[in-house]
Amino acid sequence: MAISIPEHLHTGNAENYKMSIRLCSDGLSFSGYNPSESGSFFYGETTYDRSKSYIAWLKDLFFENDFFNYPFAAIHVLYLSSRYTLIPNVVLKDKEEEAFLSFTLSGSTQKGIRNAVRGEEMTVVFDMPEDIYEFCARSLLNPTFVHHLVPFLSVWKKRSAQSIPKHMYVYIHGADLDIVCYDQGRLLFANSFPFQDTTDIIYFILYAWRQNGMDQKKDLLLLDAPKLLRSELQQILSSFIFKMESIGIPTEFYLLGSGTDRAPLDLLYLSICE
C-alpha cells in the first residue's frame, strides 16, 4: 500500500510545501505544492480496502507512508460528507457545533467541527467520526479540518456576484450531489442529496431550480460530474434548462503543475482558497 510521491519532496524541504488530504468513503487522495515554486503541484490517490474498517485501513496507510508525517508548512484534511448545516454567525456560540448538528441532522452526531465561510456571515458546521478525527489530529502536524463544500462557496459567490442571471452549481461526487444556488452573490440555497441513479439527480436539480425561482431561459446551471454522467445529464436537462456549463477549472490551477487534470475539483479549489 506504498504511495509514490515526487522525488524532490523530502523531510528537509517539506516545510516549504502545503499538503491537503481528502478523505471520502472510497478512499484517500492528497495533493501538495510549494507556493513559491511554479509547477510544484503533485497528486496521488489510493482506494479504501473494504476488508478492514476505515480507521484500521487509514492507520495502516499512514504507517506505511511516512511522508504524511513530514513537517509541512500547512496540512488541510478535506472531509467529504452530506452531514452539515449552515449557521448564521450571530447565533453560533462557542462549543455549540454538536448541539446544532443534533438538532438539524438525524442520527447521533460525532465530532462537531466548524468552518467560517469567507465573504459570508455564516459558518459551515459538520461532523466526522471521532476515531478518524482523533487519529488525524494526533498523526498530522497541526491539521486544519475542512468540509468539502467550503472551498467552493467563496469562489462561487464571487463568480455569481459578477453576473446578473442566477447561478445553480451542481457538484456530483460518489453517490452524493451538492446543489448551491446564488443570485448575484447572495446565497439562496445549499444542500446535499444521496442518489441511486440519473433519475434521482434530475429530480433534485429540477426541484431546487423551481424552489429557487430560477428562469429556464435566463439563469445558468453549472455542473461537475464524471464525464459520461455529465454528458447524459446535459442531454436530458437541455429540454428544461437552456443555459448550461461545466463548473470548470479556474486558470490559476493550470499554474500549479502536473496532476491537476486528475485531482478532484474540491481538492483543487482548496489549493487556491486556503
Side-chain angles (χ1 to χ4, degrees):
M1 198 162 41
I3 301 174
S4 61
I5 60 171
E7 294 182 357
H8 57 75
L9 175 64
H10 49 78
T11 54
N13 65 2
E15 63 184 12
N16 299 321
Y17 282 77
K18 294 185 177 182
M19 167 71 84
S20 297
I21 299 171
R22 180 182 192 262
L23 302 179
C24 66
S25 59
D26 294 332
L28 175 150
S29 54
F30 61 91
S31 67
Y33 72 104
N34 181 343
S36 62
E37 184 179 335
S38 177
S40 61
F41 181 88
F42 62 88
Y43 172 75
E45 60 185 19
T46 186
T47 303
Y48 169 39
D49 177 1
R50 297 185 181 275
S51 67
K52 307 175 182 178
S53 68
Y54 193 91
I55 185 62
W57 170 78
L58 193 63
K59 288 179 178 179
D60 288 345
L61 185 69
F62 275 47
F63 178 76
E64 295 177 23
N65 297 274
D66 61 354
F67 73 89
F68 287 117
N69 299 316
Y70 285 2
F72 294 105
I75 300 179
H76 293 82
V77 177
L78 190 71
Y79 188 67
L80 273 71
S81 173
S82 59
R83 292 179 55 85
Y84 68 92
T85 187
L86 279 72
I87 307 294
N89 291 342
V90 294
V91 300
L92 183 61
K93 296 180 171 47
D94 290 343
K95 300 181 180 179
E96 289 189 337
E97 295 89 348
E98 291 166 13
F100 273 104
L101 290 168
S102 179
F103 179 77
T104 57
L105 302 176
S106 60
S108 60
T109 59
Q110 301 180 66
K111 174 62 180 180
I113 304 170
R114 67 169 70 190
N115 292 156
V117 180
R118 186 182 303 170
E120 299 278 8
E121 292 298 319
M122 67 177 63
T123 295
V124 172
V125 178
F126 66 103
D127 67 0
M128 63 186 300
E130 189 84 36
D131 55 355
I132 295 176
Y133 172 84
E134 291 294 341
F135 173 72
C136 290
R138 292 194 312 269
S139 303
L140 302 171
L141 181 63
N142 299 321
T144 300
F145 294 86
V146 183
H147 188 268
H148 77 274
L149 200 58
V150 170
F152 288 128
L153 293 177
S154 60
V155 177
W156 292 347
K157 174 184 176 68
K158 182 178 179 180
R159 180 171 181 178
S160 168
Q162 298 169 347
S163 175
I164 294 177
K166 294 178 182 177
H167 285 186
M168 173 183 284
Y169 295 88
V170 177
Y171 179 52
I172 298 174
H173 51 94
D176 291 296
L177 72 153
D178 307 317
I179 300 179
V180 180
C181 301
Y182 284 96
D183 182 4
Q184 297 184 53
R186 180 171 63 91
L187 181 64
L188 301 176
F189 179 88
N191 208 343
S192 300
F193 306 91
F195 68 89
Q196 295 183 343
D197 52 34
T198 305
T199 302
D200 290 342
I201 299 173
I202 298 294
Y203 170 79
F204 288 127
I205 290 174
L206 294 180
Y207 176 81
W209 188 273
R210 180 178 180 182
Q211 288 297 105
N212 288 280
M214 301 185 73
D215 189 301
Q216 70 180 127
K217 294 182 179 181
K218 297 179 181 179
D219 296 328
L220 179 63
L221 170 66
L222 299 106
L223 175 67
D224 185 82
K227 186 175 181 180
L228 292 178
L229 176 58
R230 184 174 70 245
S231 178
E232 180 184 5
L233 291 172
Q234 289 173 331
Q235 183 177 1
I236 297 172
L237 287 167
S238 63
S239 299
F240 308 97
I241 301 170
F242 295 171
K243 294 185 177 181
M244 285 184 285
E245 297 178 4
S246 295
I247 290 178
I249 301 177
T251 54
E252 301 98 302
F253 295 148
Y254 295 107
L255 302 176
L256 293 177
S258 62
T260 55
D261 57 330
R262 297 187 298 115
L265 202 60
D266 46 43
L267 199 59
L268 289 174
Y269 271 67
L270 178 62
S271 297
I272 64 166
C273 295
E274 59 188 5

